[in-house]
Amino acid sequence: VGYMCKRKGFDYYLEIVNKVKSFPEKYAFLIIGDFADDDTRSMYYDFISCHSLKDKFYVTGFTKNIFRYLKYSSVVCLTSRSESLPRVVLESMTLGLKIIAFDIGGTSELLPSNYKYLVEPYNIDIFAKYVREIALTNAHDELSMGLKHSSEFFSHEKMRSNIIQVINTVWLSKN
């Protein structure tokens, strides 16, 4: 989700999809966002053409409403090289979507402890293995429910309550 640029690891995403391109026809791979620049656009089209991925890949362009795409997704892949707070993880958890992510930035803090599909940074072979495992089995319903439950820690009510508690603590310590 976002700009396709080196920081977002879209090149890793292309390599991962290339490793699992023998998926059944019902699967497609989506990038929600657009190209950061013309060089990135050229690199993308060259790669998908060279690896015969044209019928497997789709780019939405920029959108204000990523949920209209996420709600039809089975798995969300976070291939970023760096993130401070990967909002797409929270958004995906809210919908109960499965997430496969490199263990970068604040990703591990958002996901349940001992989360299986948190991948050593930039290990595209393991990442591709997990894409296959989640997409081709039905054993991921429990995973979805666990992520949806974990997202409740970040609900509006919970966050509002925590902010009010912090404000009250600061207020009381000054008075």
Side-chain angles (χ1 to χ4, degrees):
V1 176
Y3 281 111
M4 277 194 283
C5 61
K6 186 171 182 160
R7 186 182 70 76
K8 287 290 190 179
F10 96 96
D11 53 329
Y12 290 141
Y13 188 57
L14 293 172
E15 291 289 345
I16 290 163
V17 172
N18 190 46
K19 288 180 176 291
V20 296
K21 68 181 174 187
S22 61
F23 266 27
E25 283 188 24
K26 70 178 184 174
Y27 291 99
F29 296 87
L30 181 67
I31 294 175
I32 302 173
D34 211 344
F35 303 97
D37 54 46
D38 289 337
D39 289 341
T40 305
R41 181 184 311 274
S42 294
M43 181 181 150
Y44 167 80
Y45 284 111
D46 289 347
F47 188 94
I48 65 167
S49 176
C50 179
H51 294 89
S52 303
L53 293 169
K54 187 176 182 182
D55 295 334
K56 293 281 187 186
F57 249 111
Y58 301 92
V59 178
T60 66
F62 287 113
T63 181
K64 292 182 180 182
N65 182 6
I66 68 167
F67 289 102
R68 76 178 182 176
Y69 297 105
L70 285 179
K71 70 182 179 182
Y72 297 108
S73 300
S74 300
V75 178
V76 172
C77 299
L78 179 65
T79 57
S80 295
R81 285 177 167 81
S82 68
E83 293 279 349
S84 53
L85 178 70
R87 192 174 66 206
V88 71
V89 170
L90 291 172
E91 293 160 339
S92 301
M93 288 168 64
T94 300
L95 296 173
L97 295 174
K98 283 72 67 185
I99 301 162
I100 305 170
F102 287 135
D103 187 3
I104 49 95
T107 307
S108 63
E109 288 79 12
L110 297 175
L111 295 167
S113 60
N114 299 320
Y115 186 72
K116 178 179 179 178
Y117 299 106
L118 194 59
V119 180
E120 173 189 345
Y122 325 125
N123 187 332
I124 62 172
D125 292 323
I126 297 296
F127 205 114
K129 174 187 165 206
Y130 287 160
V131 169
R132 269 190 232 94
E133 183 177 308
I134 288 178
L136 298 178
T137 67
N138 292 324
H140 53 284
D141 291 335
E142 187 176 316
L143 172 65
S144 293
M145 292 309 295
L147 289 175
K148 194 167 180 89
H149 174 73
S150 294
S151 73
E152 293 171 8
F153 292 113
F154 301 97
S155 70
H156 290 285
E157 295 79 24
K158 183 84 168 174
M159 297 306 290
R160 189 183 88 231
S161 173
N162 289 344
I163 290 169
I164 289 171
Q165 184 179 3
V166 168
I167 290 170
N168 286 336
T169 301
V170 171
W171 177 260
L172 290 174
S173 71
K174 289 188 175 191
N175 293 322

